């Protein structure tokens, strides 16, 4: 079965109520400072100019680089959040990421 857009990875998250929501992987990165990997997600199917809340998690990718809902952990440290927000803002400021 072919994916609609093979360049975009998607992941399903389950909230506290057991409701599932599909998200697109915006990007992933590894922080040497914290020695952790992070994944940033946006809701699936949003328009490019639509404002959305970006979800960010610590994750431990599988050997194939894939992430699953159970691999995601909340970011609870304020210093980590600040670093993730800085990386996100740098990503968002680079128009080349949206061509």
């Amino acid at each position: 079965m072919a994916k609609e857009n093979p360049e975009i990875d998607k992941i399903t998250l389950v909230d506290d109520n057991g409701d599932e929501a599909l998200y697109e992987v915006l990007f992933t990165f590894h922080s040497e400072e914290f020695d952790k990997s992070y994944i940033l997600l946006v809701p699936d199917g949003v328009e490019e100019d639509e404002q959305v809340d970006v979800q960010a998690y610590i994750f431990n990718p599988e050997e194939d680089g894939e992430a699953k809902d159970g691999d995601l952990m909340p970011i609870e440290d304020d210093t980590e959040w600040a670093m993730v927000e800085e990386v996100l803002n740098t990503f968002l400021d680079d128009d080349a990421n949206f061509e």
Side-chain angles (χ1 to χ4, degrees):
M1 185 171 163
K3 290 183 179 179
E4 290 178 26
N5 186 344
E7 292 94 39
I8 299 177
D9 290 325
K10 298 186 180 186
I11 187 170
T12 301
L13 298 182
V14 180
D15 66 16
D16 294 337
N17 298 325
D19 296 324
E20 293 184 355
L22 189 61
Y23 284 82
E24 291 181 8
V25 176
L26 189 58
F27 67 95
T28 62
F29 70 97
H30 182 80
S31 167
E32 295 295 328
E33 179 183 354
F34 294 98
D35 193 30
K36 295 178 186 171
S37 292
Y38 299 87
I39 188 168
L40 286 89
L41 309 168
V42 293
D44 184 43
V46 297
E47 299 298 323
E48 276 189 35
D49 58 352
E50 190 176 340
Q51 281 198 335
V52 295
D53 288 332
V54 175
Q55 304 286 321
Y57 296 94
I58 299 166
F59 87 115
N60 296 313
E62 304 291 320
E63 286 184 20
D64 62 4
E66 294 292 312
K68 296 181 179 49
D69 184 14
D71 299 329
L72 306 182
M73 295 168 286
I75 301 169
E76 297 174 344
D77 181 89
D78 289 341
T79 308
E80 272 182 277
W81 262 119
M83 178 274 304
V84 169
E85 285 179 345
E86 188 175 319
V87 171
L88 174 61
N89 289 333
T90 300
F91 176 84
L92 294 176
D93 289 343
D94 185 349
D95 292 337
N97 290 316
F98 299 99
E99 293 178 349

